[in-house]
Amino acid sequence: MPAHKQLNLTLRVWRQPDAGSRGEFRDYKLYSVSPEMSFLEMLDVLNEQLLEEGEEPVAFDHDCREGICGTCGVVINGQPHGPMQGTTTCQLHMRNFEDGDLIVIEPWRASAFPVVRDLVVNRSAFDRIIQAGGYVSVRTGQAPDGNAILVPSPDQAGAMDAAACIGCGACVAACKNASAMLFTAAKVSHLAQLPQGEPERKQRALQMIATHDEEGFGACTNTYECEAACPAEISVSHIARLNREYSKAMLTARQ
Amino acid sequence: MSTAVETRLNSRVPTGPLPDQWTKCKNELKLVAPNNKRKFHVIVVGSGLAGASAAASLGELGYNVTCVTIHDSPRRAHSIAAQGGINAAKNYQNDGDSTWRLFVDTIKGGDYRSRESNVYRLAEVSGNIIDQCVAQGVPFAREYGGTLANRTFGGALVSRTFYCRGQTGQQLLLGAYSALMRQVSAGKVKVLPRREMLDLVVVDGCARGVVCRNLVNGQMETYAGHAVLLCTGGYGNVFYLSTNAKGCNVTAAWRAHRRGAYFANPCYTQIHPTCIPVHGDYQSKLTLMSESLRNDGRVWVPKEKGDQRKPTDIPEEDRDYYLERRYPTYGNMVPRDVASRAAKERCDAGYGVGSTKMAVYLDFSRAIEEQGEDAIRRKYGNLFDMYEKITDDNGYKTPMMIYPAVHYTMGGLWVDYHLQSTIPGLFVLGEANFSDHGANRLGASALMQGLADGYFIIPYTVGHHLASQSLKPVTEAHPKFKETMIDARSRIESILAVSGTRTVTDLHRELGKIMWNRCGMSRNAEGLEAALTEIKELREEFWRTINVLGSGEAFNQNLEYAGRLADFLEFAELMARDALERKESAGGHFREEYQTEEGEAKRDDENFCHVAAWEYQGDDSPHTLHKEHLDFQNVELTTRSYK
Ligand SMILES: Cc1cc2nc3c(=O)[nH]c(=O)nc-3n(C[C@H](O)[C@H](O)[C@H](O)COP(=O)(O)OP(=O)(O)OC[C@H]3O[C@@H](n4cnc5c(N)ncnc54)[C@H](O)[C@@H]3O)c2cc1C
Ligand code: FES
């Protein structure tokens, strides 16, 4: 690996003790950051420094640190998960920043995602959208043989493209309406492309959208910011499919 | 330091021929009447593959379930990170697979240190898991004709691994999570996220509840039930650096151990051969590159020590494909422990590559030549992308660099055939138990085990427990709950009271170094003795110098990490002790004193064909060692050979 120059940075970080308090930005200087570090490792270093100085560390969510669990996620200089296409915060490396940079770090901002502390938000609303119908109603032990129903490989691939959503919430953070339509669409589209999802197809679309709205997420106005921010590169074409599913379901529901 | 007793740990293995045992067991289990199920409350700790599948299945049966998890959503459990695949003996490829073969491969892969009956049952239900997942909408890879596709994994000569690109764990977990969410909306399961189980409540000798810390506001909460299921994953993070998610911990298992659950084979840890090498001391975790890459990647080092040429400039004749050379039959597909030690052997001998010389090459040039870059991209695209994001290198153009890293822990709480621990009513599932993988786990078998435990075993055996015990009604008002809660709270308060100068990360890194150097890929008596002293000193250092700021009554991640480290520091000692006591090499446990002339692991079946189950005796007394003898009636104990 080529030896890069170390970075000296100013971090402007959102600090908020809990949901009920008002938050504010605070500036921190960080010196000699290795460009090989991940963004979260850089925050680890900041936290070690804060502990030494007697200030409470910055709270941020993370777990797998390899881009799959969807736990991490902060807005970096206005962009959810930062500047790299198709990359979660934990997979973003400091080689994408310049010496002397000011980096502004904020939590996801959406009324449906209340702040828990600092950069941590509560995304339970996503679980409730799934509870509304993001499943196939099959009990353990009821399944036929795995090969009993053939699934054409393109359908499987299409379903997999949608199912790759990591549920991080970046789509909501990126959207000016704080809409969770990309998240909702990914689940509906995943199951709509598989024969297993067929029986509950209509009510799934209707109920999931209803819950999406009840949770306080905004409407989709097709700005595609969600797709641009999505670390799993979920395409907005799934929203188009969701819209079709929804209209079909509405039509037949009226009959 | 420890007293060993030969006890007959009652493993409740059914009698009779192996293939009939599970059926026989199920036929004899007591059932709970349908309308009585709702009178029982089961607490499930953890929502990974094991926990989510168990909680959903129990909810479907009509039990009331409370499921707690440290994550903000059940979908984030560490299972989500599994890449490669899940095994099942479907024989869809017509290549001679069968329940029997999967059973034999798993026993052999585990180096003859697992219980035959459990492993057979695992192989037996493996096919049902695939069926169940397909029905849930898990988008497994398919052939053009629409049938399910398979790939090959290490330690097998058949193709039985089902996969969803490089995201199999994600898709299986989302399947189990969706089943769980269905039960939440049906009102049968209550999921409590951001709750950490800090202790187990035992009433009249039975597990009756848990004490949790609400991670959002720091409040202590108690939950009472008729049975408790621990599905809290593995303890690989005792090494600090591992491929495990940062939140993986031993706390729940360790706290249950201190309440009476025996800990089995803690020294058995798996070191995975294909991980991205360590590159800096700020590093917070290691990243796995799925073993499936070894299907097409060839592992090599230069024949010449310190060869400075770029890998692409080193011609064929100057490369040592050491796995193919040493193991012609399995080649690059030898089991993980064998592949890891072979890499360490080459690097220790001075043939390692990269800036640290602690790496070997994983080369795809031949596969790309034969199949084309697109085919390779289709199979492993996301892994190559991930590699590039981390290292800034393009694996299609130049060989990847890999080195072994801690990955999985075969040890765990001891369980019988019903998956019940030594505390009645406490069941342990998934990576948290010790059950099926012996001294080494084969690739794609952890997902299989977690789901077998949760979907197909626990729904039967928990029912039996509930139907056969006359459990008195117990609520959170029972004095044991208060007592246990005060214990848990006082541990937190003592951590906060230290207000020293060293951070959790700093101390955890130090523990990791001790464990990696002395209790890692290879071990010896001298090093393990030293580890026992060093761990104890570090534990004392922790309680003298830990620096955690903030309050216990708030969201305080540093406090969470400190509590987990405190438990790792106790657990680590037991791990080293177990490694010291096991005077043989078996699977992932390699004792330098016990090896063949060719450097392969040398078992001692006469003295060590047993499970080492440790009983806690209080902080000031040594653990007691119980031995469960392993009886091999169906497979012959032979020396593993992958040559
Ligand atoms: C990178 C990687 C790749 C892998 N790839 C494969 C593969 O391809 N095939 C395969 O078969 N296996 C693979 N494995 C292994 C496999 O993923 C795990 O062994 C398995 O998923 C563990 O599942 P589990 O349900 O037992 O635990 P986990 O998924 O770890 O779940 C543990 C749960 O317990 C909760 N928890 C933990 N502690 C507490 C506590 N104190 N209180 C409350 N809740 C708690 C967590 O929140 C979580 O919900 C891989 C592992 C890694 C690290
Ligand atoms: S920490 Fe898991 S996706 Fe970033």
Side-chain angles (χ1 to χ4, degrees), chain A residues 40 61-73 81 88-91 166 168 231, chain B residues 76 80 245-246 285:
Chain A
L40 297 186
D61 257 334
H62 65 102
D63 197 31
C64 74
R65 297 202 173 194
E66 40 188 77
I68 191 74
C69 71
T71 311
C72 71
H81 290 301
T88 53
T89 304
C90 60
Q91 290 282 77
I166 62 172
C168 64
Chain B
R76 311 225 191 268
I80 200 108
K246 295 293 285 178
K285 76 157 290 185

Side-chain angles (χ1 to χ4, degrees), chain A residues 66, chain B residues 45-51 68-71 74 76-87 153 168 173 195-198 231-234 243-245 247-249 251-252 285 288 290 336 407-408 429-432 441-448 450:
Chain A
E66 40 188 77
Chain B
V45 186
S47 66
L49 286 180
V68 299
T69 160
I70 53 174
H71 288 97
R76 311 225 191 268
H78 167 58
S79 294
I80 200 108
Q83 303 169 348
I86 175 167
N87 286 333
F153 250 58
T168 315
L173 183 61
R195 299 295 197 294
E196 178 163 18
M197 169 184 157
L198 292 181
C231 314
T232 47
T243 64
N244 287 11
C248 294
N249 67 88
T251 289
K285 76 157 290 185
L288 174 87
S290 166
R336 293 172 173 177
H407 177 59
Y408 181 86
L429 286 67
E431 191 171 340
R441 174 176 71 78
L442 289 183
S445 290
L447 302 182
M448 169 171 74

Side-chain angles (χ1 to χ4, degrees), chain A residues 69 92 97 129 151 172 208 214-215 219 249:
Chain A
C69 71
L92 179 68
F97 296 88
I129 293 179
V151 180
V172 177
M208 286 179 72
E214 278 159 32
E215 290 291 338

